[in-house]
PDB file of all heavy atoms in Angstrom:
ATOM      1  N   PRO A   7      28.539  -0.413  13.529  1.00 50.00           N
ATOM      2  CA  PRO A   7      29.613  -0.183  12.601  1.00 50.00           C
ATOM      3  C   PRO A   7      30.867   0.355  13.305  1.00 50.00           C
ATOM      4  O   PRO A   7      30.750   1.166  14.179  1.00 50.00           O
ATOM      5  CB  PRO A   7      29.037   0.826  11.580  1.00 50.00           C
ATOM      6  CG  PRO A   7      27.636   0.646  11.652  1.00 50.00           C
ATOM      7  CD  PRO A   7      27.307   0.242  13.068  1.00 50.00           C
ATOM      8  N   ALA A  25      38.982  21.136  29.113  1.00 65.00           N
ATOM      9  CA  ALA A  25      38.399  22.268  29.973  1.00 65.00           C
ATOM     10  C   ALA A  25      38.770  23.577  29.365  1.00 65.00           C
ATOM     11  O   ALA A  25      37.865  24.467  29.346  1.00 65.00           O
ATOM     12  CB  ALA A  25      39.045  22.146  31.351  1.00 65.00           C
ATOM     13  N   PRO A  44      20.143  36.278  20.593  1.00 84.00           N
ATOM     14  CA  PRO A  44      19.309  35.129  20.097  1.00 84.00           C
ATOM     15  C   PRO A  44      17.754  35.504  20.141  1.00 84.00           C
ATOM     16  O   PRO A  44      17.334  36.260  20.962  1.00 84.00           O
ATOM     17  CB  PRO A  44      19.664  34.064  21.134  1.00 84.00           C
ATOM     18  CG  PRO A  44      20.062  34.774  22.376  1.00 84.00           C
ATOM     19  CD  PRO A  44      20.748  36.066  21.909  1.00 84.00           C
ATOM     20  N   CYS A  81       0.954   3.602  20.714  1.00 87.00           N
ATOM     21  CA  CYS A  81       0.847   4.206  19.367  1.00 87.00           C
ATOM     22  C   CYS A  81       0.929   5.735  19.374  1.00 87.00           C
ATOM     23  O   CYS A  81       0.952   6.323  18.327  1.00 87.00           O
ATOM     24  CB  CYS A  81      -0.440   3.772  18.657  1.00 87.00           C
ATOM     25  SG  CYS A  81      -2.001   4.392  19.457  1.00 87.00           S
ATOM     26  N   PRO A  84      -3.379  10.555  21.340  1.00 84.00           N
ATOM     27  CA  PRO A  84      -3.875  11.217  22.548  1.00 84.00           C
ATOM     28  C   PRO A  84      -5.162  10.755  22.957  1.00 84.00           C
ATOM     29  O   PRO A  84      -6.079  10.390  22.151  1.00 84.00           O
ATOM     30  CB  PRO A  84      -3.956  12.697  22.063  1.00 84.00           C
ATOM     31  CG  PRO A  84      -4.080  12.641  20.610  1.00 84.00           C
ATOM     32  CD  PRO A  84      -3.383  11.448  20.142  1.00 84.00           C
ATOM     33  N   ASP A 115      -1.609  19.821  15.596  1.00 92.00           N
ATOM     34  CA  ASP A 115      -2.613  20.799  15.502  1.00 92.00           C
ATOM     35  C   ASP A 115      -2.024  22.153  16.013  1.00 92.00           C
ATOM     36  O   ASP A 115      -1.044  22.180  16.657  1.00 92.00           O
ATOM     37  CB  ASP A 115      -3.891  20.434  16.420  1.00 92.00           C
ATOM     38  CG  ASP A 115      -5.068  21.248  16.109  1.00 92.00           C
ATOM     39  OD1 ASP A 115      -5.163  21.891  15.038  1.00 92.00           O
ATOM     40  OD2 ASP A 115      -5.991  21.262  16.985  1.00 92.00           O
ATOM     41  N   LYS A 126       9.876  21.659   7.103  1.00 95.00           N
ATOM     42  CA  LYS A 126      10.155  21.107   5.826  1.00 95.00           C
ATOM     43  C   LYS A 126      10.902  22.028   4.863  1.00 95.00           C
ATOM     44  O   LYS A 126      11.357  21.567   3.796  1.00 95.00           O
ATOM     45  CB  LYS A 126       8.834  20.641   5.187  1.00 95.00           C
ATOM     46  CG  LYS A 126       7.993  19.602   5.971  1.00 95.00           C
ATOM     47  CD  LYS A 126       6.746  19.206   5.324  1.00 95.00           C
ATOM     48  CE  LYS A 126       5.919  18.275   6.255  1.00 95.00           C
ATOM     49  NZ  LYS A 126       6.541  16.982   6.550  1.00 95.00           N
ATOM     50  N   GLY A 150      13.986   7.428  30.647  1.00 82.00           N
ATOM     51  CA  GLY A 150      14.957   7.324  31.752  1.00 82.00           C
ATOM     52  C   GLY A 150      16.236   6.660  31.362  1.00 82.00           C
ATOM     53  O   GLY A 150      16.874   6.999  30.407  1.00 82.00           O
ATOM     54  N   GLN A 152      16.631   3.706  30.214  1.00 87.00           N
ATOM     55  CA  GLN A 152      16.424   2.742  29.125  1.00 87.00           C
ATOM     56  C   GLN A 152      16.518   3.369  27.730  1.00 87.00           C
ATOM     57  O   GLN A 152      15.669   3.067  26.857  1.00 87.00           O
ATOM     58  CB  GLN A 152      15.075   2.025  29.310  1.00 87.00           C
ATOM     59  CG  GLN A 152      14.841   1.407  30.618  1.00 87.00           C
ATOM     60  CD  GLN A 152      15.849   0.289  30.838  1.00 87.00           C
ATOM     61  OE1 GLN A 152      16.130  -0.537  30.013  1.00 87.00           O
ATOM     62  NE2 GLN A 152      16.402   0.215  32.125  1.00 87.00           N
ATOM     63  N   VAL A 157      20.028   5.520  16.598  1.00 98.00           N
ATOM     64  CA  VAL A 157      18.908   6.275  16.071  1.00 98.00           C
ATOM     65  C   VAL A 157      18.858   5.969  14.570  1.00 98.00           C
ATOM     66  O   VAL A 157      19.882   6.053  13.842  1.00 98.00           O
ATOM     67  CB  VAL A 157      19.098   7.756  16.307  1.00 98.00           C
ATOM     68  CG1 VAL A 157      17.994   8.550  15.587  1.00 98.00           C
ATOM     69  CG2 VAL A 157      19.103   8.044  17.822  1.00 98.00           C
ATOM     70  N   ARG A 167      13.912  14.924  -1.579  1.00 85.00           N
ATOM     71  CA  ARG A 167      15.011  15.664  -0.940  1.00 85.00           C
ATOM     72  C   ARG A 167      15.612  16.655  -1.865  1.00 85.00           C
ATOM     73  O   ARG A 167      15.935  17.774  -1.415  1.00 85.00           O
ATOM     74  CB  ARG A 167      16.101  14.577  -0.542  1.00 85.00           C
ATOM     75  CG  ARG A 167      17.280  15.232   0.279  1.00 85.00           C
ATOM     76  CD  ARG A 167      18.066  14.147   0.903  1.00 85.00           C
ATOM     77  NE  ARG A 167      18.681  13.232  -0.002  1.00 85.00           N
ATOM     78  CZ  ARG A 167      18.417  11.961  -0.122  1.00 85.00           C
ATOM     79  NH1 ARG A 167      17.492  11.462   0.632  1.00 85.00           N
ATOM     80  NH2 ARG A 167      19.020  11.210  -0.992  1.00 85.00           N
ATOM     81  N   THR A 185      22.069  14.943  21.110  1.00 96.00           N
ATOM     82  CA  THR A 185      21.614  15.377  22.457  1.00 96.00           C
ATOM     83  C   THR A 185      21.686  14.197  23.401  1.00 96.00           C
ATOM     84  O   THR A 185      22.094  14.325  24.565  1.00 96.00           O
ATOM     85  CB  THR A 185      20.214  15.949  22.380  1.00 96.00           C
ATOM     86  OG1 THR A 185      20.155  17.057  21.457  1.00 96.00           O
ATOM     87  CG2 THR A 185      19.823  16.444  23.757  1.00 96.00           C
ATOM     88  N   ARG A 196      16.510   2.268   3.667  1.00 93.00           N
ATOM     89  CA  ARG A 196      16.385   3.032   2.426  1.00 93.00           C
ATOM     90  C   ARG A 196      15.115   2.600   1.689  1.00 93.00           C
ATOM     91  O   ARG A 196      14.580   1.506   1.922  1.00 93.00           O
ATOM     92  CB  ARG A 196      17.578   2.820   1.540  1.00 93.00           C
ATOM     93  CG  ARG A 196      18.903   3.290   2.063  1.00 93.00           C
ATOM     94  CD  ARG A 196      20.046   3.004   1.114  1.00 93.00           C
ATOM     95  NE  ARG A 196      21.275   3.567   1.563  1.00 93.00           N
ATOM     96  CZ  ARG A 196      22.392   3.481   0.872  1.00 93.00           C
ATOM     97  NH1 ARG A 196      22.402   2.934  -0.374  1.00 93.00           N
ATOM     98  NH2 ARG A 196      23.517   4.053   1.297  1.00 93.00           N
ATOM     99  N   ARG A 212      -2.977   4.357   2.719  1.00 89.00           N
ATOM    100  CA  ARG A 212      -1.632   4.727   3.132  1.00 89.00           C
ATOM    101  C   ARG A 212      -0.778   3.441   3.458  1.00 89.00           C
ATOM    102  O   ARG A 212       0.440   3.431   3.173  1.00 89.00           O
ATOM    103  CB  ARG A 212      -1.667   5.668   4.294  1.00 89.00           C
ATOM    104  CG  ARG A 212      -2.261   7.033   3.943  1.00 89.00           C
ATOM    105  CD  ARG A 212      -2.114   8.018   5.065  1.00 89.00           C
ATOM    106  NE  ARG A 212      -2.787   9.257   4.694  1.00 89.00           N
ATOM    107  CZ  ARG A 212      -2.746  10.373   5.443  1.00 89.00           C
ATOM    108  NH1 ARG A 212      -2.132  10.377   6.629  1.00 89.00           N
ATOM    109  NH2 ARG A 212      -3.374  11.458   5.078  1.00 89.00           N
ATOM    110  N   ILE A 236      13.039   7.827  14.038  1.00 98.00           N
ATOM    111  CA  ILE A 236      12.648   9.182  14.160  1.00 98.00           C
ATOM    112  C   ILE A 236      11.860   9.618  12.942  1.00 98.00           C
ATOM    113  O   ILE A 236      12.297   9.355  11.797  1.00 98.00           O
ATOM    114  CB  ILE A 236      13.839  10.106  14.270  1.00 98.00           C
ATOM    115  CG1 ILE A 236      14.587   9.819  15.613  1.00 98.00           C
ATOM    116  CG2 ILE A 236      13.452  11.583  14.284  1.00 98.00           C
ATOM    117  CD1 ILE A 236      13.917  10.213  16.859  1.00 98.00           C
ATOM    118  N   THR A 250       9.804  -0.172  11.016  1.00 96.00           N
ATOM    119  CA  THR A 250       9.975  -1.008  12.175  1.00 96.00           C
ATOM    120  C   THR A 250      10.120  -2.489  11.726  1.00 96.00           C
ATOM    121  O   THR A 250      10.988  -3.205  12.169  1.00 96.00           O
ATOM    122  CB  THR A 250       8.859  -0.827  13.172  1.00 96.00           C
ATOM    123  OG1 THR A 250       8.789   0.410  13.653  1.00 96.00           O
ATOM    124  CG2 THR A 250       8.997  -1.810  14.338  1.00 96.00           C
ATOM    125  N   ARG A 271      -6.241  10.185  13.495  1.00 62.00           N
ATOM    126  CA  ARG A 271      -6.842   9.479  12.344  1.00 62.00           C
ATOM    127  C   ARG A 271      -8.298   9.906  12.094  1.00 62.00           C
ATOM    128  O   ARG A 271      -9.051  10.060  13.084  1.00 62.00           O
ATOM    129  CB  ARG A 271      -6.817   7.953  12.589  1.00 62.00           C
ATOM    130  CG  ARG A 271      -5.393   7.446  12.649  1.00 62.00           C
ATOM    131  CD  ARG A 271      -5.387   5.937  12.943  1.00 62.00           C
ATOM    132  NE  ARG A 271      -6.066   5.170  11.963  1.00 62.00           N
ATOM    133  CZ  ARG A 271      -6.023   3.832  11.908  1.00 62.00           C
ATOM    134  NH1 ARG A 271      -5.425   3.156  12.841  1.00 62.00           N
ATOM    135  NH2 ARG A 271      -6.664   3.151  10.963  1.00 62.00           N
TER     136      ARG A 271
END
Side-chain angles (χ1 to χ4, degrees):
C81 67
D115 193 18
K126 300 179 186 297
Q152 303 298 317
V157 176
R167 186 166 60 246
T185 305
R196 295 181 176 181
R212 295 188 183 184
I236 298 289
T250 297
R271 296 176 61 171

